Structure formats: structure tokens, C-alpha cells
Amino acid sequence: MTDRAWFDAAKGDIPQWAASMPKDADGTTIDWDWVRSLDLAHGVGTIPESTPQSIHDALKADYATRERLESIIAQCNSAFMTDFDRFIGSYRLPRALAYANRRLNDNINTLLHLGEQQHLWAVSRERRGRATIAVLKPYSGSSPSNDDQGMLDLSGEAGGTSAGNTAAENSDVKFPTTVALDDVQDRTAAILDARAERRKAQRFQKRAGDAAMARANLSGATSPGGAALPGGAASSGNATGHHPKPDWRDAYLPGRDVDAVMGVDIETTGIDPARDYIIDVGFEFMNMASPRPAGEPETYAYEQGYYAAGDAYGQSRLAFGVPPENAALGNALIAKLTGIDVRGRSSEAGYRLFDEWPQAQAGLLARLTQQPYVAHNATFEHSWFMLNVAGYAESYRAGRITIIDTLPMSRQWDPGAVPTNEHPYGDNTLDAYAKRQGALDSAHNERHLGLEDSHIMLVAMKHHLAALKAQRKGPWGPAGRAGVGGKSCGRKR
């Protein structure tokens, strides 16, 4: 299929999803006819007139649409991964919903900015619980306080039909603040907190049920010594005597036979794969045990001149763009962090969008399935690949993808990762881990670019594994795993 035909194919999957996933992540029955009615390819946002009430009403409608979409998207991963009978054949519907939701989020941010321009409200970005949200306050005559937005050009010179152009044509009109704000507040934090509380209650119920089953188990009558439960995890420990408790991240630890891997790191416009865009991907290969392949170029020029390629090979960096609406708003935080200014990354400037580039997705997927891939805090990359890379979710569910994470390597096996008041689990940032493992000079910091960060991660991993092998710890210790290790899954019956 070419162009936007995949959106029609995604909607064709709705019967499969409807049969397997009747409710969303918040327990609400999904109106699949409503989903079917959405124009996912061309936008689901509301374009208002230039009056205050129209801008208010458009923002209210867009918030309501985003809440419905995101509650569906949030449930899709669980439904897909627990579909053991493989009734749902493809993950393209969640990808299509996320595609539409990103553009909707751009429209919401544009409306927020237009409201500031029309003096309807002042916007501040505030951390509330699990999310940073836009908080609307009555306009007081002060300049906008939002550092990440406020760069939208309302001169009216840009072409096309959008919410921004409608207001730009009337930007000289001054409206009084006459709209209510209570019904146009971002509810994201409250929704996520409530969702987390429900999960917590479910976990508590499960633990209580497991405890009840254990009390009812009569095996204790024949085991007066109280033998340890089978499958109990042993602490991996480290040289300082600090013994981190095993947790779910340990599934991503490498095994003692790990060798050829691909390190990958992405840079994005935010932290939510259903709202934000991938703008930079960097990856390279490195062998943890065997010699570097013969015939590969021996040098590579990283942006940081003090980086040496060493054992790395197959380096690649890919730059991607954002829609014009997103570029117009700008992103000061990401520009400061990465040096990437999205105002120059508009698709109108010739940059391709990752979620609109099937060939780029296919090329990345081919590499991700060839050998284990390594990332630092790999669940981040995994969540973005699920909603951006065609075929990734299907390949992961089928067991064709293995993921290794250097973050639990730092947490479980690095003596320097000791708990402090500032870092209760130890300082396990890539920057700290790479410095402790001799992959990054103490005088420099993590670059926050895909390729450069992939490089220091792999160098740190190789140094770390060599030290652990010499000490008979980590993968070579009592709790170590044979094989390449990492997290992978396959069909279950």
C-alpha cells in the first residue's frame, strides 16, 4: 500500500479489536463506531472561528477527543500482547490512532497559544503528579509564562487552512477575557493518577489472592522446615555490599553469551509517543565478545571530537521533521537539551516525518530484528517503536525482537550505583553510568543526540561486561543467565 491507504486498512481491523477490547484503559465501553468515523489521515482536531467562545469551544472539544483517543491507545498494548490466540493480527490501528492524536495535540497547543494571543487566558506548564500539563489562568496583562511555546507566527503570511491562520488574519482584534476556564483545563494528570490507583488496587487484590492461596496450600504439612518457594530470585549484589532488590527491569539484563548487538537511542519532541514526534535516531553496532568484523571502516567522526569509534561499526544517524503546526510553536526545552530547533525541522522545509516514512520504519525494523538491540531505559524506545514503526509490535510479540537494557545493568551490577537521598536507587542516568564505566570523560556530559548516546552506552556496556566477567559477577555470577539474555517474548499457549 502507498500514501494513506494504511489508514483504511487500520480501520478494517476494528472488528478484531472490538471483539477483543470492549473497554478502554479507564474502564469505559469503547464506541467503535465513533472510532470508525474519525478521519485519522487528515485530522481530528477542531478549527474554530476567531471569536473567544469559538476558540474556547474548539479547545474543549479537542480535549474531549484526546481523552477518548488516548484511553483507547493506552489499552491497546495490553490487549495485543495478551491476545494469545492471535485474533488481532496487526497493530496498525493503534499506530493510526497515535498518528491522529499527535496532530490533535498540535492543534490543542495551537489553540492554547491563540487564546494567549487573544488575551483569553495565560498558560503555564506545571508538573502535576505523573504529567506536566497546561494550566489556564485568567489573563492579567503579563506576558505568557510558557517557555516551551509562544513562538507561533501570527503574522498571517503563512498559507493553508488552519486554526493558526484563522486567528492570524484577525490578530489585530483585541477580545476581552469573557470565556470560562474551568471546563478547558487539561485533565491528563488526574486521568493518569486515577488509572494508576486502579492498577495499584488490582495488584493489591492479586497479592491478597496469592497469599490466600499460599495459606490454603497443604504442602507445608510435609515441609516442616519451610523450604523456600521455587523460583525465588537471588540478589545479584555488588562490590559495595549494596544488594538491589530484583524487579521487572531485570528481565532486560544481558546473558553471559551476549555478543553482537545494536545500540539505539532516539530523541523526541516530548516523552509521550502518542503526542510527540521522533526527530533523531542514532544507532551503531558493537560486538561484546568477538572481534570487530573485518572490512568495516576503522574510523568514524562523531559530533564529539573526543569520541573514538573503537570497536563500534555500522554507525548511522537519521534526522526527521515535524508538521508545520508543531514547528511553528517551537520547543525551547528540546532545543536546549539536544540542540535541535524544531522551527527549522518543518516538513515544509523538506524534512520527512518518521511516522509518514514507511521506508525509514522498515529499514529500522530490519536492523532491530537482526540481533539484540540495546538502549538505556529501553522501555522508552520500545514504547515509541510500538506506536511509530510498522511491524514492530507484531515482530516483538512473535519473539523476533530481543531487548537489552543498560539501566538495570547500572542498577544491579555497578558498585557506583549506591542509593543516596537524591537518587534512592543510585544514579543510573546514562551520563553517570558511562562516566563510571570509563566511556565518558568526567569533564563532559551526555550529548543527547541519538548516535553519540548510543556510542557511549555500548562502550560502557562492553567495559562493564569485561569487568564483571573477570570478577565472576553479573551474568557470570550465581544469578546470571546463559545465552544472550535480554527481554523477548513469543507465542504462548
Side-chain angles (χ1 to χ4, degrees), residues 136-171:
L136 303 190
K137 300 176 182 178
Y139 179 74
S140 62
S142 60
S143 59
S145 59
N146 174 23
D147 292 333
D148 293 335
Q149 309 296 334
M151 294 184 246
L152 183 63
D153 181 6
L154 295 180
S155 64
E157 296 177 358
T161 303
S162 70
N165 295 333
T166 301
E169 296 164 358
N170 298 276
S171 59

Side-chain angles (χ1 to χ4, degrees), residues 130-303:
R130 291 168 172 78
T132 299
I133 64 172
V135 178
L136 303 190
K137 300 176 182 178
Y139 179 74
S140 62
S142 60
S143 59
S145 59
N146 174 23
D147 292 333
D148 293 335
Q149 309 296 334
M151 294 184 246
L152 183 63
D153 181 6
L154 295 180
S155 64
E157 296 177 358
T161 303
S162 70
N165 295 333
T166 301
E169 296 164 358
N170 298 276
S171 59
D172 59 329
V173 179
K174 301 301 180 185
F175 294 111
T177 305
T178 58
V179 298
L181 301 184
D182 289 347
D183 59 348
V184 285
Q185 296 292 351
D186 188 345
R187 297 178 60 246
T188 300
I191 291 171
L192 294 180
D193 287 346
R195 198 176 291 166
E197 286 300 313
R198 285 193 297 273
R199 290 196 300 266
K200 182 179 179 181
Q202 291 168 356
R203 288 194 299 269
F204 177 81
Q205 291 175 349
K206 183 180 184 304
R207 286 195 296 267
D210 291 344
M213 288 292 291
R215 286 193 298 269
N217 192 330
L218 298 180
S219 63
T222 58
S223 301
L229 291 174
S235 173
S236 54
N238 59 37
T240 65
H242 167 53
H243 298 280
K245 293 181 180 179
D247 67 10
W248 59 270
R249 297 175 186 84
D250 293 353
Y252 295 86
L253 289 168
R256 64 180 68 101
D257 300 317
V258 66
D259 189 15
V261 297
M262 183 184 88
V264 63
D265 184 78
I266 62 175
E267 302 301 330
T268 62
T269 59
I271 62 172
D272 191 335
R275 292 187 182 182
D276 302 306
Y277 300 90
I278 294 175
I279 52 176
D280 184 75
V281 176
F283 59 83
E284 68 177 25
F285 300 85
M286 188 177 290
N287 297 350
M288 297 291 114
S290 63
R292 186 175 183 276
E296 293 286 344
E298 296 184 359
T299 59
Y300 183 87
Y302 297 92
E303 184 194 80

Side-chain angles (χ1 to χ4, degrees), residues 2 9 16 63 121 222 233 236 321 380 405 432 440 444 456 473:
T2 58
Q16 303 168 18
Y63 270 150
W121 50 62
T222 58
S236 54
F380 181 81
D405 194 340
L440 184 63
H444 301 99
I456 61 171
K473 294 181 179 179

Side-chain angles (χ1 to χ4, degrees), residues 427-483:
D427 189 350
N428 299 303
T429 62
L430 176 58
D431 185 87
Y433 176 63
K435 287 175 179 176
R436 289 197 301 266
Q437 297 301 326
L440 184 63
D441 188 277
S442 60
H444 301 99
N445 295 318
E446 174 188 355
R447 177 58 183 86
H448 292 292
L449 279 180
L451 179 58
E452 279 67 26
D453 290 357
S454 295
H455 182 65
I456 61 171
M457 174 186 66
L458 289 185
V459 173
M461 178 181 176
K462 187 160 186 173
H463 289 178
H464 196 186
L465 287 175
L468 290 168
K469 185 175 182 179
Q471 300 165 10
R472 309 305 297 173
K473 294 181 179 179
W476 295 271
R481 299 162 62 187

Side-chain angles (χ1 to χ4, degrees), residues 309-363:
D311 294 330
Y313 59 96
Q315 297 91 340
S316 183
R317 68 171 79 242
L318 307 170
F320 301 99
V322 297
E325 294 78 11
N326 188 284
L329 290 167
N331 195 318
L333 176 63
I334 296 303
K336 180 179 180 180
L337 183 67
T338 68
I340 300 173
D341 189 342
V342 299
R343 291 176 298 177
R345 287 284 185 97
S346 169
S347 56
E348 292 181 341
Y351 279 87
R352 297 284 298 271
L353 276 65
F354 185 76
D355 65 359
E356 292 184 352
W357 197 345
Q359 294 82 0
Q361 297 169 36

